[in-house]
Amino acid sequence: MRKNLFYVLFALSLASAKALPGNTAIFPQLNNQNIQIVNQQNNLPQAVKEFLATPVGKNFTAEQVLAAYNNAYHIMKVESGNVVSETKIDEDFSKLSAGSEDAPDASNIADNFDDFTKQSGWGAFLTYQAGGKAYLGFDEVGDDGPGYLMTPALDLSAGEGVFKVTFRVKNVNANAQDQGLQYFIMNDDPDATKKAIISAASLPMTTDWSDVELIVDGGVKYTSVMFFGWQGKVLVDNVKLEKLTYPLAKPKSVKFSATGGGEITATWDAVEGASQYYGELLDDDFEGKANTSDELVVATATVSENTAKIEYGINPSHKYIVRVTALNGNDKSFPGRSSDTPSVSKVDAPVATAATDVTTSGFTANWETSQYAANY
């Protein structure tokens, strides 16, 4: 049995610690904390520090964890009328019958967690029975951090490597009511040199039960999903993992740039069988963003070719995401996407308006402001 941590994270198997493009369907920030920071130990978000303290986290560096958070994208749900679903895990934790939600059983079952599940291969740390739920505790004596669960490693590499994870979660830590649920997509390869964190993100979690659905791509031969609350004391239930096969391939090589005049130009590789494409521009730094499930689609375009001009005046200091879905009737692909902080390639000439204060010795020139202009 694997003795791994069950945090509110998900882990995916991949063959290197390098962050790969497009591995997860969800969100690049920890609650109110930008993960793209200089890696100085004192500046690390607390969730990252707690993960590094765990038995699993001790196998990774802070740089690898930060790269995983920076590799997340804002894609939570991708609907398609003709997607084919194959259930790989369907665990209701009904065998964890001792204790209750309010009073979990006192015996840590992490070392023999497979005795309580339908499938073998789960990883667990500081995990307890809670009346048909899994309770993830916290090391309050030592410094090994929060409890976690880690799903059996599965081969999800076929096709686009897209899969869906659904589960229920509840924060029962009265002293950490603002903690988010961390999920990691990781490589759980039996070869220790190939284990890697592919992507990671934070989801809202409250003191009420919440139903969570994530659709993620990047599945590999040893895909595993890992969950944890960085301050521990979290209930988890009804974990289900489904392999998804889409009728159309996702658009690849998505690129975009600001072409001036309030316009974004996006390009991608054409998809066989697609009759149209739906492009979306997302502002990843919009005011009011609180957690990684927030997103703001600021402009869209539907086109028949593999290029689109999206009308929107960007903020040059913001990071943006373009995602493109291939369409053919009711068939849809998983979106291809790209993120960048685009520079402006040109500034339109200002439009002059009537002069004022005209005298024999001079006048006041007036003009309409030109988007992106820093000075005149």
Side-chain angles (χ1 to χ4, degrees):
M1 170 186 296
R2 298 180 299 130
K3 297 181 181 179
N4 294 325
L5 301 179
F6 181 85
Y7 285 25
V8 180
L9 344 143
F10 295 85
L12 255 203
S13 304
L14 268 175
S16 77
K18 179 180 177 182
L20 300 182
N23 283 324
T24 173
I26 33 226
F27 344 94
Q29 289 183 336
L30 278 175
N31 296 336
N32 295 321
Q33 295 174 300
N34 192 335
I35 297 301
Q36 298 181 12
I37 59 176
V38 176
N39 179 24
Q40 298 175 353
Q41 190 64 31
N42 290 337
N43 291 339
L44 289 175
Q46 192 63 33
V48 175
K49 293 181 182 179
E50 295 295 350
F51 170 72
L52 292 171
T54 65
V56 167
K58 289 173 182 176
N59 296 313
F60 298 98
T61 66
E63 289 84 356
Q64 289 172 317
V65 179
L66 293 173
Y69 276 103
N70 290 337
N71 198 41
Y73 287 88
H74 286 265
I75 300 177
M76 283 201 67
K77 293 185 178 181
V78 185
E79 306 294 343
S80 175
N82 298 314
V83 67
V84 176
S85 172
E86 179 185 0
T87 298
K88 296 290 189 178
I89 294 174
D90 191 359
E91 181 56 64
D92 62 5
F93 300 121
S94 58
K95 294 182 180 180
L96 279 69
S97 55
S100 66
E101 291 185 27
D102 295 331
D105 187 72
S107 298
N108 180 7
I109 60 171
D111 288 347
N112 59 328
F113 193 72
D114 279 350
D115 295 342
F116 297 87
T117 57
K118 298 175 184 178
Q119 291 173 248
S120 61
W122 285 82
F125 178 69
L126 295 178
T127 305
Y128 305 83
Q129 301 180 70
K133 316 290 189 299
Y135 173 73
L136 311 180
F138 191 87
D139 184 2
E140 300 188 59
V141 177
D143 55 3
D144 285 337
Y148 69 81
L149 279 180
M150 197 167 174
T151 66
L154 301 171
D155 187 352
L156 302 177
S157 60
E160 299 288 340
V162 182
F163 60 97
K164 178 169 69 173
V165 182
T166 55
F167 59 96
R168 303 182 71 221
V169 64
K170 181 180 180 179
N171 179 18
V172 291
N173 189 334
N175 297 318
Q177 295 188 15
D178 61 344
Q179 71 169 329
L181 172 71
Q182 312 308 309
Y183 80 87
F184 284 17
I185 305 297
M186 299 176 64
N187 175 12
D188 197 28
D189 196 297
D191 183 345
T193 65
K194 295 181 179 179
K195 291 183 183 293
I197 309 170
I198 304 312
S199 61
S202 177
L203 298 174
M205 182 172 55
T206 71
T207 53
D208 295 320
W209 279 105
S210 299
D211 294 301
V212 179
E213 176 181 300
L214 304 172
I215 297 181
V216 184
D217 69 343
V220 292
K221 188 174 181 179
Y222 298 101
T223 303
S224 180
V225 175
M226 185 179 182
F227 316 83
F228 79 97
W230 65 272
Q231 296 187 72
K233 301 180 181 180
V234 171
L235 288 167
V236 177
D237 195 16
N238 295 341
V239 175
K240 186 175 182 179
L241 190 151
E242 302 166 72
K243 177 74 176 74
L244 302 182
T245 302
Y246 284 77
L248 295 172
K250 73 178 180 181
K252 296 180 173 60
S253 302
V254 177
K255 301 175 183 177
F256 67 97
S257 61
T259 48
E263 184 179 85
I264 291 284
T265 298
T267 61
W268 56 88
D269 293 343
V271 174
E272 183 177 357
S275 60
Q276 289 185 309
Y277 302 91
Y278 180 63
E280 300 170 278
L281 178 66
L282 289 75
D283 185 343
D284 199 36
D285 291 309
F286 64 92
E287 183 178 356
K289 180 173 180 176
N291 56 64
T292 55
S293 69
D294 290 345
E295 67 178 23
L296 181 63
V297 177
V298 295
T300 64
T302 300
V303 296
S304 58
E305 303 295 332
N306 56 323
T307 185
K309 294 187 182 299
I310 302 174
E311 300 293 332
Y312 185 73
I314 66 165
N315 182 329
S317 66
H318 283 202
K319 178 181 177 181
Y320 291 88
I321 297 169
V322 166
R323 61 188 185 197
V324 182
T325 303
L327 309 171
N328 188 345
N330 291 328
D331 288 346
K332 296 181 182 180
S333 73
F334 190 81
R337 67 267 192 197
S338 177
S339 64
D340 196 6
T341 303
S343 59
V344 178
S345 60
K346 69 174 183 177
V347 179
D348 292 341
V351 176
T353 59
T356 56
D357 303 324
V358 179
T359 67
T360 56
S361 59
F363 63 91
T364 299
N366 301 293
W367 59 87
E368 295 178 0
T369 58
S370 185
Q371 194 171 31
Y372 311 130
N375 49 56
Y376 299 91

